[in-house]
Amino acid sequence: MSRLPKGMIAAVAAVAAAVGGVVTQSAGAPAAVQETALQQRLDGLLNDSRYDGSQVALVVRDATTGETLYDRNGAQRMLPASNTKLFSSTAAMHVLGPSYRFHTDVLATAPVRGGQLLGNLYLKGYGDPTALESDYVALAKQLKAAGVKRVHGDLIADDTYFDHVRLGDSWAWDDEPFYYNAQISALTLAPNTDYDSGTAIVESRPGATVGAPVQLGLVPANGVLKLVNTATTGAAGSSNTLSIERDHGTNVVRVTGSVPLGASVGQEWVTVWEPELYAADVFKRALAAQGITVSGKIKNAATPAGAARLARDESMTVGELMTPFLKLSNNMHAETLVKAMGAVAEAEGSWSAGLGVVTDYAKSLGVDTSRIRLSDGSGLSRKVNVTADSITDVLIGAQQEPWWQQWYDALPIAGNPTRFVGGTLRSRMQNTPAANNLHGKTGSLTGVTSLSGYVTTADGRKLVFSMISNNYLTSPRSIEDAVGVTLASWSDENPPAAVPNNFRKAQSTTCELEWDKAC
C-alpha cells in the first residue's frame, strides 16, 4: 500500500471529516488534499494487470525538503539493473573527483641509446576506459619524438593496476560475447567514441556476387581477434541472417549466415578475451607505423620497479566521462570506476575494495546501507539489491555536492532526440511535459525495468523519484513513462487530467534493453 507522511495523513483525515468523510479535489484546494489526489493518480497507474504476480516500488519526494509525497514498497529490496549506476557514478565524482584523469604509460628499464632500446618496452594501463586507437598512436609518436627506433626486447602489457578478475559477480555466461558485458582490465581499448572499452567492431559487407563470401573487417585492425568466416552473399532482397559471435575463452569470432547482395555495411561489437593483449597489439601496430620496430613478442607481466617513463597519455576527466557513461548507460565505465576507486582509496583495484568505497559514500548521503547490497557498479549482477528509498536518498544527498550540476547534466533527458543529450531516454516521453524536463537513469534486464531521477512539476516544484519493477512477464515500461509525465504535469493548484490509457500503450518502446545499439 502507498503511504503519506504522518502529518499529511492527519491533515487529509481532518479535511475528509470536514466534508463528511469524502476527500474532494478542486482548484485551489489545500496542498494535503492535492497530494492525496496525486497519490490516487499514481495508485491508478500502478494498479495495472502487468503487475499481477510481480513487484513494483515507487517513491516520490520533494527534492528540496526530502518530504515523501508517495511511497509504495519504498523499503522493499529490488533488483535495480542500471539504476545501480546512480551509486557508482556519484561515488566516483566524490572519491575520484570530477577532475581525475586516467592515464596510460610507456616505460622501460634500459636507457635509449642511438635510437636503440636494449630491453623490454612496457605498456602500463591505469584503467582508462576511453583509450582509442588514436591514443596509442599518440603514444607511439611520443616515442618517435624521443628518438626510439628499435626495441630489442618484448612489448609487455601491464594491467596489474587492477586485479585479474575480468567479469562481475553472477554476470550471465550467455552475455559474455556482447559489448555490454566486456572484460574489465586496467589496460584496454575502445573502438569508438561511445568508448565501448574491451570490444572491437566487426564490419561486414556483401560480396560482389550471390554466393560470394561476406567481406569482413575489424575496427581497429588487430591480430588478436581471429575471424572464421562461413557467411555468404544472398540474393538481393533476401533476409539478413548474419551472426557474429566470439567463442568462450578464446578470441575466435565465428561469422555465419547470409547478407543480401547490395546491403549496406553492417557493424557488430564483440568483446575481446584478455583486452590488455588487444591494446598492446594495436599499440605495436602504431609503433610500426611510426617506424619503430619491436623485435620480440607481446607478453603480459608487471612493470619492474624503477622503470623510467618514456610517454604518457591521459584521458578525459571523470566529470567529462559522466556524459558517455550515464547517457548511454555504459556498463564497463561503471566497473572501471569501481575498481579505480578501490585502487585510489584502498590501494586495491578490485570489485570488493571499490564497492566498499561506494557503499561508504552512499552511507554518507543517508542511505541505510545495512538494508542494501551492491555486487557490481553497473547493475548487470542479479545479486544487487537496493530500495527505492535508498535511491531517492542518493538523489537528494547528491544535490549538495559541488559537482552535482555536471553529474545532473550527464543524466539522460526525457524526449530529447539528440543522442548525447537524451541518451537512453531520447525516444521516451516525447512531446509531453516530461520532455526536456525529466533527468533520469534508466535500467533494464530481462524481467527488470527501472527509472529514477529528477522532474519539475507544472508548479515549478522539483521532485525526485525512483521506480523499480521486477519479475513481470509483459513490460510495464510505458507505466514508468506515464508516471514521469504525471509528475511533470502535476499542479497542486489545478490537477491535470489523467494520463490517457492510449498514452501508456503508444509510448512503449520496441527497445526494451537500454544497451541496444539500434535504439
Side-chain angles (χ1 to χ4, degrees):
M1 291 295 293
S2 57
R3 65 180 187 269
L4 293 169
K6 292 179 180 178
M8 191 177 297
I9 293 173
V12 172
V15 173
V19 295
V22 178
V23 178
T24 61
Q25 301 173 25
S26 61
V33 175
Q34 298 298 352
E35 285 165 351
T36 301
L38 175 61
Q39 178 188 18
Q40 292 170 346
R41 187 69 53 79
L42 295 175
D43 278 342
L45 291 174
L46 300 189
N47 293 336
D48 188 285
S49 61
R50 281 171 282 183
Y51 287 121
D52 291 349
S54 63
Q55 301 82 43
V56 60
L58 173 61
V59 172
V60 181
R61 296 169 68 184
D62 186 291
T64 303
T65 67
E67 177 187 15
T68 300
L69 308 181
Y70 184 88
D71 186 339
R72 179 180 289 201
N73 298 324
Q76 183 73 34
R77 278 183 289 274
M78 305 280 281
L79 186 61
S82 285
N83 271 209
T84 307
K85 296 182 175 78
L86 295 169
F87 293 86
S88 55
S89 62
T90 53
M93 289 289 274
H94 176 77
V95 175
L96 300 176
S99 62
Y100 180 89
R101 295 179 189 271
F102 298 92
H103 61 274
T104 305
D105 289 348
V106 181
L107 308 101
T109 54
V112 178
R113 292 194 175 95
Q116 310 296 305
L117 174 62
L118 301 178
N120 296 329
L121 188 66
Y122 296 87
L123 179 66
K124 183 174 177 63
Y126 289 85
D128 184 3
T130 68
L132 303 172
E133 180 182 21
S134 58
D135 294 307
Y136 290 103
V137 170
L139 285 170
K141 288 180 177 179
Q142 289 183 51
L143 287 186
K144 181 180 180 180
V148 178
K149 296 180 181 178
R150 186 175 186 87
V151 176
H152 296 273
D154 296 320
L155 175 58
I156 307 297
D158 180 355
D159 67 341
T160 57
Y161 189 64
F162 292 168
D163 66 8
H164 204 261
V165 180
R166 297 294 194 209
L167 299 174
D169 187 6
S170 76
W171 287 7
W173 68 268
D174 51 342
D175 280 340
E176 186 211 310
F178 305 118
Y179 83 97
Y180 55 81
N181 205 112
Q183 295 187 10
I184 305 304
S185 172
L187 179 61
T188 190
L189 173 64
N192 60 345
T193 51
D194 285 2
Y195 304 106
D196 295 316
S197 55
T199 74
I201 299 172
V202 180
E203 290 191 335
S204 57
R205 296 171 175 80
T209 60
V210 173
V214 169
Q215 300 175 16
L216 302 175
L218 286 170
V219 178
N222 68 86
V224 172
L225 290 172
K226 309 298 182 185
L227 299 178
V228 178
N229 182 19
T230 60
T232 57
T233 304
S238 62
S239 297
N240 189 329
T241 61
L242 192 72
S243 174
I244 301 174
E245 193 163 322
R246 180 176 59 80
D247 288 350
H248 173 73
T250 76
N251 277 313
V252 174
V253 178
R254 300 189 185 279
V255 185
T256 60
S258 174
V259 175
L261 189 67
S264 59
V265 176
Q267 291 189 325
E268 183 71 28
W269 281 249
V270 294
T271 57
V272 180
W273 190 266
E274 299 293 1
E276 81 281 8
L277 300 178
Y278 166 47
D281 180 89
V282 170
F283 179 52
K284 187 175 182 181
R285 288 165 181 258
L287 291 171
Q290 296 301 316
I292 301 172
T293 302
V294 178
S295 60
K297 298 179 179 180
I298 294 174
K299 300 178 180 179
N300 49 359
T303 303
R309 190 176 79 208
L310 304 179
R312 167 168 287 188
D313 179 75
E314 291 190 336
S315 72
M316 64 179 71
T317 66
V318 162
E320 292 165 336
L321 177 63
M322 289 294 129
T323 293
F325 169 28
L326 294 175
K327 295 292 187 187
L328 304 182
S329 199
N330 190 302
N331 295 329
M332 285 45 264
H333 296 175
E335 308 307 348
T336 296
L337 289 167
V338 166
K339 288 198 173 189
M341 282 185 271
V344 168
E346 301 292 339
E348 181 184 320
S350 68
W351 264 294
S352 59
L355 289 171
V357 174
V358 174
T359 301
D360 287 345
Y361 178 66
K363 186 174 183 178
S364 77
L365 294 180
V367 174
D368 183 354
T369 54
S370 69
R371 296 181 58 83
I372 67 171
R373 177 174 60 216
L374 298 177
S375 299
D376 68 5
S378 66
L380 270 175
S381 172
R382 287 186 174 268
K383 290 185 179 178
V384 177
N385 280 133
V386 302
T387 64
D389 280 343
S390 67
I391 291 176
T392 58
D393 284 339
V394 170
L395 294 172
I396 289 172
Q399 294 176 112
Q400 307 307 314
E401 298 285 14
W403 42 257
W404 177 80
Q405 188 65 49
Q406 186 176 31
W407 177 82
Y408 171 78
D409 291 341
L411 291 170
I413 300 174
N416 189 308
T418 303
R419 190 163 180 264
F420 277 96
V421 179
T424 56
L425 284 173
R426 62 190 179 276
S427 64
R428 297 174 60 178
M429 293 171 270
Q430 293 178 331
N431 304 312
T432 73
N436 291 305
N437 171 355
L438 187 153
H439 289 226
K441 184 69 200 75
T442 57
S444 60
L445 291 169
T446 301
V448 179
T449 184
S450 56
L451 178 65
S452 302
Y454 305 85
V455 64
T456 301
T457 70
D459 294 334
R461 185 182 194 182
K462 195 165 189 178
L463 307 176
V464 299
F465 69 96
S466 177
M467 182 173 177
I468 309 172
S469 304
N470 282 185
N471 297 315
Y472 53 80
L473 297 179
T474 301
S475 175
R477 178 166 292 176
S478 57
I479 303 176
E480 285 179 353
D481 291 356
V483 167
V485 173
T486 296
L487 296 177
S489 58
W490 193 259
S491 169
D492 290 334
E493 293 296 322
N494 194 9
V499 176
N501 286 332
N502 61 359
F503 169 85
R504 284 179 257 170
K505 296 177 182 178
Q507 291 290 313
S508 63
T509 173
T510 57
C511 296
E512 287 303 328
L513 290 178
E514 62 191 336
W515 313 303
D516 189 340
K517 288 286 187 183
C519 295

